[in-house]
Amino acid sequence: MAWFKRESSGARGPQNEDSHTVRTEGLWLKCEGCREIIWKKDLETTFNVCGKCGHHFRLDARARLTMLFDDGVYEEHDASLESSDPLGFVDSKPYKERLKATEAATHLKDALIAATGKLAGRKVNICAMEPKFIGGSMGAVTGEKITRAIERSIASHTPLIVVSASGGARMQEGAVSLMQMAKVSAALMRLDESHLPYISVLTDPTTGGVTASFAMLGDLNIAEPGALIGFAGPRVIEQSIRQKLPEGFQRSEFLLKHGMLDAVVARGEMKAYLATALDFFLGESVEPMNDAA
Ligand SMILES: [Zn+2]
Protein backbone atom coordinates (compact mmCIF):
# COMPACT_ATOMS: atom_id res chain seq x y z
CA MET A 1 0.00 0.00 0.00
CA ALA A 2 2.94 2.24 -0.66
CA TRP A 3 1.44 4.52 -3.28
CA PHE A 4 1.43 7.59 -1.17
CA LYS A 5 5.02 7.19 -0.11
CA ARG A 6 5.79 8.77 -3.44
CA GLU A 7 4.49 12.05 -2.08
CA SER A 8 7.15 12.10 0.59
CA SER A 9 9.89 10.36 -1.38
CA GLY A 10 11.78 13.63 -1.56
CA ALA A 11 11.86 13.75 2.23
CA ARG A 12 15.35 12.70 3.19
CA GLY A 13 16.24 14.76 6.24
CA PRO A 14 14.39 15.26 9.50
CA GLN A 15 14.14 18.98 8.67
CA ASN A 16 11.95 18.31 5.69
CA GLU A 17 8.37 19.49 6.15
CA ASP A 18 6.94 16.11 5.22
CA SER A 19 9.39 14.14 7.29
CA HIS A 20 6.83 13.08 9.89
CA THR A 21 5.09 10.97 7.26
CA VAL A 22 8.36 9.13 6.81
CA ARG A 23 9.14 8.83 10.54
CA THR A 24 5.93 6.89 11.19
CA GLU A 25 7.37 4.04 9.10
CA GLY A 26 4.38 3.82 6.83
CA LEU A 27 1.61 3.39 9.41
CA TRP A 28 0.15 6.84 8.86
CA LEU A 29 -0.15 9.18 5.96
CA LYS A 30 -1.32 12.68 5.29
CA CYS A 31 -4.47 12.96 3.15
CA GLU A 32 -3.85 14.92 -0.03
CA GLY A 33 -7.44 16.16 0.11
CA CYS A 34 -7.98 17.39 3.68
CA ARG A 35 -4.39 17.28 5.05
CA GLU A 36 -5.62 15.19 8.00
CA ILE A 37 -3.45 12.35 9.25
CA ILE A 38 -5.00 8.98 8.43
CA TRP A 39 -4.19 5.55 9.79
CA LYS A 40 -3.37 3.28 6.83
CA LYS A 41 -5.36 0.38 8.23
CA ASP A 42 -8.46 2.59 8.11
CA LEU A 43 -7.78 3.30 4.46
CA GLU A 44 -7.62 -0.41 3.63
CA THR A 45 -11.16 -0.95 4.91
CA THR A 46 -12.46 1.79 2.58
CA PHE A 47 -10.41 0.71 -0.46
CA ASN A 48 -8.20 3.78 -0.15
CA VAL A 49 -10.86 6.47 0.15
CA CYS A 50 -10.35 9.06 2.92
CA GLY A 51 -13.11 8.68 5.50
CA LYS A 52 -12.96 12.37 6.33
CA CYS A 53 -13.06 14.12 2.94
CA GLY A 54 -13.66 11.35 0.39
CA HIS A 55 -10.32 11.83 -1.36
CA HIS A 56 -9.63 8.85 -3.61
CA PHE A 57 -6.09 7.53 -3.25
CA ARG A 58 -4.79 5.24 -5.95
CA LEU A 59 -5.74 1.59 -5.69
CA ASP A 60 -3.67 -1.33 -6.91
CA ALA A 61 -5.08 -3.79 -9.42
CA ARG A 62 -5.56 -6.70 -7.00
CA ALA A 63 -7.49 -4.62 -4.48
CA ARG A 64 -9.57 -3.25 -7.34
CA LEU A 65 -10.54 -6.74 -8.51
CA THR A 66 -11.25 -7.87 -4.94
CA MET A 67 -13.57 -4.87 -4.57
CA LEU A 68 -15.49 -5.46 -7.81
CA PHE A 69 -15.89 -9.23 -7.95
CA ASP A 70 -18.43 -11.01 -5.76
CA ASP A 71 -16.69 -12.26 -2.60
CA GLY A 72 -13.42 -11.04 -4.14
CA VAL A 73 -13.25 -14.26 -6.16
CA TYR A 74 -11.92 -14.27 -9.72
CA GLU A 75 -9.95 -16.35 -12.19
CA GLU A 76 -6.85 -14.68 -13.60
CA HIS A 77 -5.78 -15.07 -17.25
CA ASP A 78 -2.45 -14.78 -19.06
CA ALA A 79 -0.55 -14.03 -15.85
CA SER A 80 2.65 -15.45 -17.33
CA LEU A 81 2.81 -13.13 -20.37
CA GLU A 82 5.86 -10.90 -20.19
CA SER A 83 7.56 -8.38 -22.41
CA SER A 84 10.28 -9.65 -24.75
CA ASP A 85 12.00 -6.22 -24.79
CA PRO A 86 11.64 -5.99 -28.59
CA LEU A 87 13.93 -2.94 -28.91
CA GLY A 88 16.65 -4.03 -26.49
CA PHE A 89 15.93 -0.69 -24.82
CA VAL A 90 18.26 0.98 -22.35
CA ASP A 91 17.53 4.27 -20.57
CA SER A 92 18.94 4.90 -17.09
CA LYS A 93 19.07 1.11 -16.91
CA PRO A 94 18.25 -1.76 -19.28
CA TYR A 95 14.51 -2.29 -19.71
CA LYS A 96 14.97 -6.00 -18.92
CA GLU A 97 16.36 -5.07 -15.49
CA ARG A 98 13.59 -2.56 -14.93
CA LEU A 99 11.04 -5.27 -15.67
CA LYS A 100 12.72 -7.69 -13.24
CA ALA A 101 12.83 -5.11 -10.45
CA THR A 102 9.20 -4.13 -11.03
CA GLU A 103 8.12 -7.75 -11.06
CA ALA A 104 9.85 -8.31 -7.73
CA ALA A 105 8.13 -5.25 -6.25
CA THR A 106 4.61 -5.87 -7.58
CA HIS A 107 4.51 -9.67 -8.09
CA LEU A 108 3.16 -8.96 -11.55
CA LYS A 109 4.74 -9.49 -14.96
CA ASP A 110 3.05 -6.51 -16.53
CA ALA A 111 0.82 -3.52 -15.81
CA LEU A 112 -2.55 -5.23 -16.12
CA ILE A 113 -4.48 -8.12 -14.60
CA ALA A 114 -7.12 -9.78 -16.77
CA ALA A 115 -9.76 -11.67 -14.81
CA THR A 116 -13.13 -13.37 -15.06
CA GLY A 117 -15.60 -13.63 -12.23
CA LYS A 118 -19.03 -12.48 -11.16
CA LEU A 119 -20.23 -8.99 -10.50
CA ALA A 120 -23.56 -8.92 -8.66
CA GLY A 121 -24.18 -12.46 -9.91
CA ARG A 122 -23.35 -11.77 -13.56
CA LYS A 123 -20.31 -13.23 -15.31
CA VAL A 124 -17.98 -10.43 -16.45
CA ASN A 125 -14.45 -9.96 -17.73
CA ILE A 126 -12.58 -7.24 -15.90
CA CYS A 127 -9.12 -5.92 -16.75
CA ALA A 128 -7.51 -3.75 -14.07
CA MET A 129 -4.36 -1.74 -14.70
CA GLU A 130 -1.63 -1.59 -12.08
CA PRO A 131 -0.36 1.98 -11.59
CA LYS A 132 2.74 0.75 -9.74
CA PHE A 133 4.01 -1.24 -12.72
CA ILE A 134 6.19 1.27 -14.64
CA GLY A 135 3.51 3.93 -14.17
CA GLY A 136 0.77 1.61 -15.41
CA SER A 137 2.25 2.05 -18.87
CA MET A 138 0.87 0.13 -21.84
CA GLY A 139 3.27 -2.11 -23.72
CA ALA A 140 2.73 -5.14 -25.92
CA VAL A 141 1.70 -7.36 -23.00
CA THR A 142 -0.99 -4.95 -21.80
CA GLY A 143 -2.37 -4.67 -25.32
CA GLU A 144 -2.33 -8.43 -25.82
CA LYS A 145 -4.01 -9.12 -22.47
CA ILE A 146 -6.84 -6.69 -23.17
CA THR A 147 -7.25 -8.07 -26.70
CA ARG A 148 -7.48 -11.62 -25.35
CA ALA A 149 -10.00 -10.45 -22.73
CA ILE A 150 -12.10 -8.95 -25.52
CA GLU A 151 -11.90 -12.20 -27.47
CA ARG A 152 -12.94 -14.15 -24.35
CA SER A 153 -15.87 -11.79 -23.95
CA ILE A 154 -16.98 -12.41 -27.53
CA ALA A 155 -16.53 -16.19 -27.25
CA SER A 156 -18.45 -16.46 -23.98
CA HIS A 157 -20.92 -13.62 -24.63
CA THR A 158 -19.73 -11.78 -21.54
CA PRO A 159 -19.53 -8.02 -20.95
CA LEU A 160 -16.18 -6.30 -20.52
CA ILE A 161 -14.99 -3.73 -17.98
CA VAL A 162 -11.53 -2.15 -18.15
CA VAL A 163 -10.28 -0.11 -15.20
CA SER A 164 -7.54 2.22 -16.44
CA ALA A 165 -4.73 3.70 -14.37
CA SER A 166 -1.95 4.61 -16.71
CA GLY A 167 0.69 7.12 -17.70
CA GLY A 168 0.15 6.09 -21.33
CA ALA A 169 2.18 4.10 -23.81
CA ARG A 170 5.39 2.51 -22.54
CA MET A 171 8.38 4.48 -23.78
CA GLN A 172 10.68 1.44 -23.54
CA GLU A 173 8.68 -0.37 -26.23
CA GLY A 174 8.51 2.59 -28.61
CA ALA A 175 6.29 2.11 -31.64
CA VAL A 176 5.35 -1.39 -30.47
CA SER A 177 3.48 0.13 -27.54
CA LEU A 178 1.81 2.71 -29.79
CA MET A 179 0.50 -0.08 -32.01
CA GLN A 180 -1.43 -1.46 -29.04
CA MET A 181 -3.78 1.50 -29.37
CA ALA A 182 -4.85 0.36 -32.83
CA LYS A 183 -4.88 -3.32 -31.89
CA VAL A 184 -7.14 -2.90 -28.83
CA SER A 185 -9.38 -0.41 -30.63
CA ALA A 186 -9.89 -2.85 -33.51
CA ALA A 187 -10.72 -5.64 -31.06
CA LEU A 188 -13.24 -3.37 -29.31
CA MET A 189 -14.88 -2.82 -32.69
CA ARG A 190 -15.44 -6.56 -32.93
CA LEU A 191 -16.89 -6.57 -29.42
CA ASP A 192 -19.27 -3.84 -30.49
CA GLU A 193 -20.32 -5.86 -33.54
CA SER A 194 -21.11 -8.72 -31.16
CA HIS A 195 -23.48 -6.37 -29.31
CA LEU A 196 -21.68 -6.79 -26.02
CA PRO A 197 -21.24 -3.84 -23.66
CA TYR A 198 -17.85 -2.42 -22.75
CA ILE A 199 -17.62 -0.12 -19.76
CA SER A 200 -14.47 1.94 -19.31
CA VAL A 201 -13.63 3.04 -15.76
CA LEU A 202 -11.04 5.83 -15.68
CA THR A 203 -9.07 6.26 -12.47
CA ASP A 204 -6.23 8.50 -11.41
CA PRO A 205 -4.25 8.89 -13.65
CA THR A 206 -5.50 7.98 -17.14
CA THR A 207 -3.35 9.72 -19.71
CA GLY A 208 -1.53 9.45 -23.04
CA GLY A 209 -2.15 6.54 -25.39
CA VAL A 210 -4.55 4.83 -22.98
CA THR A 211 -6.86 7.85 -22.96
CA ALA A 212 -6.40 8.12 -26.72
CA SER A 213 -7.61 4.56 -27.25
CA PHE A 214 -9.59 2.10 -25.13
CA ALA A 215 -10.21 4.29 -22.08
CA MET A 216 -12.43 6.63 -24.12
CA LEU A 217 -14.08 3.94 -26.28
CA GLY A 218 -16.53 2.56 -23.72
CA ASP A 219 -20.25 2.32 -24.28
CA LEU A 220 -20.05 4.09 -20.95
CA ASN A 221 -16.98 6.05 -19.89
CA ILE A 222 -17.10 6.64 -16.15
CA ALA A 223 -14.45 8.04 -13.83
CA GLU A 224 -13.62 8.18 -10.16
CA PRO A 225 -13.80 11.60 -8.46
CA GLY A 226 -10.78 13.87 -8.86
CA ALA A 227 -8.95 11.60 -11.31
CA LEU A 228 -6.42 13.16 -13.66
CA ILE A 229 -7.58 12.33 -17.18
CA GLY A 230 -6.01 13.71 -20.32
CA PHE A 231 -3.78 13.10 -23.29
CA ALA A 232 -0.83 15.48 -22.89
CA GLY A 233 0.07 17.06 -19.57
CA PRO A 234 -1.11 20.60 -18.68
CA ARG A 235 2.34 22.17 -19.09
CA VAL A 236 2.75 20.84 -22.62
CA ILE A 237 -0.72 22.13 -23.55
CA GLU A 238 -0.10 25.55 -22.03
CA GLN A 239 3.14 25.84 -23.96
CA SER A 240 1.59 24.86 -27.26
CA ILE A 241 -1.62 26.95 -27.08
CA ARG A 242 0.02 29.79 -25.08
CA GLN A 243 -2.95 30.12 -22.77
CA LYS A 244 -3.44 29.54 -19.08
CA LEU A 245 -5.62 26.49 -18.48
CA PRO A 246 -8.77 26.80 -16.36
CA GLU A 247 -8.97 25.58 -12.76
CA GLY A 248 -9.56 21.84 -12.42
CA PHE A 249 -8.72 21.22 -16.08
CA GLN A 250 -8.22 17.48 -16.81
CA ARG A 251 -9.99 16.35 -13.64
CA SER A 252 -13.03 14.03 -13.82
CA GLU A 253 -15.56 16.67 -12.77
CA PHE A 254 -14.36 19.14 -15.39
CA LEU A 255 -14.50 16.47 -18.11
CA LEU A 256 -18.01 15.43 -17.07
CA LYS A 257 -19.17 19.04 -17.25
CA HIS A 258 -17.73 19.36 -20.74
CA GLY A 259 -19.24 16.18 -22.13
CA MET A 260 -16.16 13.95 -22.17
CA LEU A 261 -17.49 11.50 -19.56
CA ASP A 262 -20.85 9.89 -18.85
CA ALA A 263 -20.57 9.91 -15.06
CA VAL A 264 -18.31 10.44 -12.09
CA VAL A 265 -18.86 7.62 -9.61
CA ALA A 266 -17.37 7.32 -6.12
CA ARG A 267 -15.38 4.15 -5.49
CA GLY A 268 -17.78 2.98 -2.79
CA GLU A 269 -20.69 3.09 -5.28
CA MET A 270 -18.78 1.77 -8.27
CA LYS A 271 -19.81 -1.88 -8.04
CA ALA A 272 -23.52 -1.07 -7.66
CA TYR A 273 -23.29 1.41 -10.53
CA LEU A 274 -21.65 -1.16 -12.82
CA ALA A 275 -24.25 -3.79 -11.90
CA THR A 276 -27.10 -1.37 -12.73
CA ALA A 277 -25.43 -0.35 -16.00
CA LEU A 278 -25.01 -3.98 -17.07
CA ASP A 279 -28.66 -4.66 -16.21
CA PHE A 280 -29.55 -1.73 -18.44
CA PHE A 281 -27.47 -3.04 -21.35
CA LEU A 282 -28.27 -6.74 -21.09
CA GLY A 283 -31.44 -7.05 -19.05
CA GLU A 284 -31.40 -8.29 -15.50
CA SER A 285 -28.95 -11.06 -14.75
CA VAL A 286 -30.57 -14.45 -15.32
CA GLU A 287 -28.36 -16.14 -12.79
CA PRO A 288 -29.50 -16.18 -9.20
CA MET A 289 -27.53 -13.94 -6.84
CA ASN A 290 -26.67 -16.82 -4.50
CA ASP A 291 -24.71 -18.48 -7.31
CA ALA A 292 -21.90 -16.01 -6.72
CA ALA A 293 -19.13 -18.53 -6.11
ZN1 LIG B 1 -9.01 13.49 3.45
mmCIF file of all heavy atoms in Angstrom, residues 128-151:
data_model
loop_
_atom_site.group_PDB
_atom_site.id
_atom_site.type_symbol
_atom_site.label_atom_id
_atom_site.label_comp_id
_atom_site.label_asym_id
_atom_site.label_seq_id
_atom_site.Cartn_x
_atom_site.Cartn_y
_atom_site.Cartn_z
ATOM 1 N N ALA A 128 -7.876 -4.868 -14.953
ATOM 2 C CA ALA A 128 -7.509 -3.751 -14.069
ATOM 3 C C ALA A 128 -6.043 -3.421 -14.277
ATOM 4 O O ALA A 128 -5.177 -4.303 -14.235
ATOM 5 C CB ALA A 128 -7.772 -4.113 -12.613
ATOM 6 N N MET A 129 -5.754 -2.161 -14.509
ATOM 7 C CA MET A 129 -4.361 -1.741 -14.704
ATOM 8 C C MET A 129 -3.695 -1.482 -13.357
ATOM 9 O O MET A 129 -4.347 -1.079 -12.393
ATOM 10 C CB MET A 129 -4.295 -0.489 -15.578
ATOM 11 C CG MET A 129 -4.826 -0.745 -16.979
ATOM 12 S SD MET A 129 -4.485 0.623 -18.119
ATOM 13 C CE MET A 129 -2.776 0.285 -18.545
ATOM 14 N N GLU A 130 -2.386 -1.748 -13.319
ATOM 15 C CA GLU A 130 -1.629 -1.595 -12.078
ATOM 16 C C GLU A 130 -0.747 -0.337 -12.166
ATOM 17 O O GLU A 130 0.285 -0.360 -12.860
ATOM 18 C CB GLU A 130 -0.778 -2.850 -11.846
ATOM 19 C CG GLU A 130 0.167 -2.768 -10.672
ATOM 20 C CD GLU A 130 -0.545 -2.348 -9.401
ATOM 21 O OE1 GLU A 130 -1.351 -3.122 -8.880
ATOM 22 O OE2 GLU A 130 -0.300 -1.214 -8.935
ATOM 23 N N PRO A 131 -1.124 0.733 -11.472
ATOM 24 C CA PRO A 131 -0.362 1.978 -11.589
ATOM 25 C C PRO A 131 1.084 1.875 -11.101
ATOM 26 O O PRO A 131 1.932 2.653 -11.518
ATOM 27 C CB PRO A 131 -1.165 2.970 -10.735
ATOM 28 C CG PRO A 131 -2.048 2.146 -9.858
ATOM 29 C CD PRO A 131 -2.288 0.865 -10.584
ATOM 30 N N LYS A 132 1.369 0.871 -10.256
ATOM 31 C CA LYS A 132 2.738 0.754 -9.738
ATOM 32 C C LYS A 132 3.686 0.068 -10.722
ATOM 33 O O LYS A 132 4.881 0.053 -10.510
ATOM 34 C CB LYS A 132 2.727 -0.037 -8.429
ATOM 35 C CG LYS A 132 2.240 0.784 -7.246
ATOM 36 C CD LYS A 132 2.329 -0.034 -5.974
ATOM 37 C CE LYS A 132 1.053 0.085 -5.181
ATOM 38 N NZ LYS A 132 0.930 -0.933 -4.149
ATOM 39 N N PHE A 133 3.143 -0.533 -11.772
ATOM 40 C CA PHE A 133 4.014 -1.238 -12.717
ATOM 41 C C PHE A 133 4.457 -0.281 -13.828
ATOM 42 O O PHE A 133 3.737 -0.050 -14.802
ATOM 43 C CB PHE A 133 3.288 -2.453 -13.304
ATOM 44 C CG PHE A 133 4.218 -3.456 -13.942
ATOM 45 C CD1 PHE A 133 4.566 -4.622 -13.277
ATOM 46 C CD2 PHE A 133 4.785 -3.208 -15.183
ATOM 47 C CE1 PHE A 133 5.439 -5.531 -13.855
ATOM 48 C CE2 PHE A 133 5.661 -4.108 -15.766
ATOM 49 C CZ PHE A 133 5.987 -5.279 -15.105
ATOM 50 N N ILE A 134 5.656 0.281 -13.686
ATOM 51 C CA ILE A 134 6.194 1.275 -14.638
ATOM 52 C C ILE A 134 5.113 2.298 -15.001
ATOM 53 O O ILE A 134 4.806 2.522 -16.181
ATOM 54 C CB ILE A 134 6.826 0.616 -15.887
ATOM 55 C CG1 ILE A 134 7.691 -0.596 -15.491
ATOM 56 C CG2 ILE A 134 7.677 1.615 -16.670
ATOM 57 C CD1 ILE A 134 8.468 -1.238 -16.622
ATOM 58 N N GLY A 135 4.525 2.888 -13.966
ATOM 59 C CA GLY A 135 3.514 3.933 -14.173
ATOM 60 C C GLY A 135 2.242 3.444 -14.848
ATOM 61 O O GLY A 135 1.516 4.231 -15.448
ATOM 62 N N GLY A 136 1.961 2.138 -14.745
ATOM 63 C CA GLY A 136 0.771 1.612 -15.413
ATOM 64 C C GLY A 136 0.860 1.748 -16.921
ATOM 65 O O GLY A 136 -0.152 1.826 -17.606
ATOM 66 N N SER A 137 2.080 1.781 -17.448
ATOM 67 C CA SER A 137 2.245 2.046 -18.872
ATOM 68 C C SER A 137 1.824 0.844 -19.720
ATOM 69 O O SER A 137 1.907 -0.298 -19.296
ATOM 70 C CB SER A 137 3.691 2.435 -19.174
ATOM 71 O OG SER A 137 4.570 1.456 -18.671
ATOM 72 N N MET A 138 1.380 1.148 -20.937
ATOM 73 C CA MET A 138 0.874 0.125 -21.836
ATOM 74 C C MET A 138 1.940 -0.285 -22.837
ATOM 75 O O MET A 138 2.362 0.504 -23.675
ATOM 76 C CB MET A 138 -0.343 0.657 -22.589
ATOM 77 C CG MET A 138 -0.780 -0.241 -23.739
ATOM 78 S SD MET A 138 -2.271 0.339 -24.568
ATOM 79 C CE MET A 138 -1.748 1.930 -25.192
ATOM 80 N N GLY A 139 2.373 -1.533 -22.730
ATOM 81 C CA GLY A 139 3.270 -2.115 -23.723
ATOM 82 C C GLY A 139 2.542 -3.229 -24.447
ATOM 83 O O GLY A 139 1.313 -3.342 -24.369
ATOM 84 N N ALA A 140 3.318 -4.070 -25.122
ATOM 85 C CA ALA A 140 2.728 -5.140 -25.921
ATOM 86 C C ALA A 140 1.926 -6.125 -25.077
ATOM 87 O O ALA A 140 0.895 -6.630 -25.505
ATOM 88 C CB ALA A 140 3.831 -5.879 -26.673
ATOM 89 N N VAL A 141 2.389 -6.378 -23.848
ATOM 90 C CA VAL A 141 1.698 -7.363 -23.002
ATOM 91 C C VAL A 141 0.327 -6.831 -22.574
ATOM 92 O O VAL A 141 -0.683 -7.543 -22.636
ATOM 93 C CB VAL A 141 2.561 -7.715 -21.772
ATOM 94 C CG1 VAL A 141 1.785 -8.600 -20.804
ATOM 95 C CG2 VAL A 141 3.835 -8.419 -22.222
ATOM 96 N N THR A 142 0.281 -5.563 -22.177
ATOM 97 C CA THR A 142 -0.991 -4.951 -21.796
ATOM 98 C C THR A 142 -1.983 -5.020 -22.953
ATOM 99 O O THR A 142 -3.139 -5.415 -22.778
ATOM 100 C CB THR A 142 -0.756 -3.485 -21.386
ATOM 101 O OG1 THR A 142 0.185 -3.462 -20.330
ATOM 102 C CG2 THR A 142 -2.041 -2.825 -20.927
ATOM 103 N N GLY A 143 -1.500 -4.648 -24.138
ATOM 104 C CA GLY A 143 -2.373 -4.673 -25.316
ATOM 105 C C GLY A 143 -2.870 -6.074 -25.630
ATOM 106 O O GLY A 143 -4.050 -6.287 -25.922
ATOM 107 N N GLU A 144 -1.964 -7.044 -25.526
ATOM 108 C CA GLU A 144 -2.335 -8.431 -25.823
ATOM 109 C C GLU A 144 -3.332 -8.961 -24.789
ATOM 110 O O GLU A 144 -4.299 -9.636 -25.134
ATOM 111 C CB GLU A 144 -1.067 -9.305 -25.850
ATOM 112 C CG GLU A 144 -1.305 -10.786 -26.073
ATOM 113 C CD GLU A 144 -1.876 -11.116 -27.450
ATOM 114 O OE1 GLU A 144 -1.835 -10.250 -28.335
ATOM 115 O OE2 GLU A 144 -2.380 -12.243 -27.621
ATOM 116 N N LYS A 145 -3.103 -8.623 -23.521
ATOM 117 C CA LYS A 145 -4.010 -9.123 -22.472
ATOM 118 C C LYS A 145 -5.421 -8.547 -22.634
ATOM 119 O O LYS A 145 -6.409 -9.250 -22.452
ATOM 120 C CB LYS A 145 -3.465 -8.758 -21.092
ATOM 121 C CG LYS A 145 -2.392 -9.717 -20.576
ATOM 122 C CD LYS A 145 -1.990 -9.266 -19.179
ATOM 123 C CE LYS A 145 -1.425 -10.402 -18.365
ATOM 124 N NZ LYS A 145 -1.121 -9.968 -16.980
ATOM 125 N N ILE A 146 -5.511 -7.273 -22.965
ATOM 126 C CA ILE A 146 -6.843 -6.692 -23.167
ATOM 127 C C ILE A 146 -7.502 -7.315 -24.400
ATOM 128 O O ILE A 146 -8.682 -7.666 -24.387
ATOM 129 C CB ILE A 146 -6.781 -5.155 -23.328
ATOM 130 C CG1 ILE A 146 -6.206 -4.514 -22.072
ATOM 131 C CG2 ILE A 146 -8.176 -4.584 -23.592
ATOM 132 C CD1 ILE A 146 -6.103 -3.006 -22.150
ATOM 133 N N THR A 147 -6.704 -7.483 -25.471
ATOM 134 C CA THR A 147 -7.255 -8.069 -26.695
ATOM 135 C C THR A 147 -7.787 -9.479 -26.426
ATOM 136 O O THR A 147 -8.884 -9.834 -26.858
ATOM 137 C CB THR A 147 -6.178 -8.096 -27.805
ATOM 138 O OG1 THR A 147 -5.712 -6.758 -27.993
ATOM 139 C CG2 THR A 147 -6.732 -8.619 -29.107
ATOM 140 N N ARG A 148 -7.013 -10.256 -25.675
ATOM 141 C CA ARG A 148 -7.483 -11.616 -25.350
ATOM 142 C C ARG A 148 -8.745 -11.565 -24.482
ATOM 143 O O ARG A 148 -9.638 -12.402 -24.618
ATOM 144 C CB ARG A 148 -6.388 -12.394 -24.614
ATOM 145 C CG ARG A 148 -5.234 -12.767 -25.520
ATOM 146 C CD ARG A 148 -4.266 -13.682 -24.803
ATOM 147 N NE ARG A 148 -3.052 -13.893 -25.576
ATOM 148 C CZ ARG A 148 -2.084 -14.729 -25.226
ATOM 149 N NH1 ARG A 148 -2.183 -15.423 -24.099
ATOM 150 N NH2 ARG A 148 -1.021 -14.872 -25.982
ATOM 151 N N ALA A 149 -8.803 -10.590 -23.578
ATOM 152 C CA ALA A 149 -10.000 -10.451 -22.730
ATOM 153 C C ALA A 149 -11.217 -10.135 -23.594
ATOM 154 O O ALA A 149 -12.313 -10.665 -23.375
ATOM 155 C CB ALA A 149 -9.785 -9.356 -21.684
ATOM 156 N N ILE A 150 -11.013 -9.288 -24.593
ATOM 157 C CA ILE A 150 -12.103 -8.953 -25.518
ATOM 158 C C ILE A 150 -12.542 -10.207 -26.267
ATOM 159 O O ILE A 150 -13.740 -10.491 -26.394
ATOM 160 C CB ILE A 150 -11.652 -7.851 -26.508
ATOM 161 C CG1 ILE A 150 -11.380 -6.542 -25.766
ATOM 162 C CG2 ILE A 150 -12.707 -7.650 -27.596
ATOM 163 C CD1 ILE A 150 -10.624 -5.504 -26.576
ATOM 164 N N GLU A 151 -11.567 -10.980 -26.731
ATOM 165 C CA GLU A 151 -11.897 -12.197 -27.473
ATOM 166 C C GLU A 151 -12.620 -13.216 -26.580
ATOM 167 O O GLU A 151 -13.535 -13.904 -27.020
ATOM 168 C CB GLU A 151 -10.617 -12.798 -28.085
ATOM 169 C CG GLU A 151 -10.146 -11.948 -29.276
ATOM 170 C CD GLU A 151 -8.734 -12.245 -29.743
ATOM 171 O OE1 GLU A 151 -8.014 -13.015 -29.055
ATOM 172 O OE2 GLU A 151 -8.337 -11.689 -30.789
#
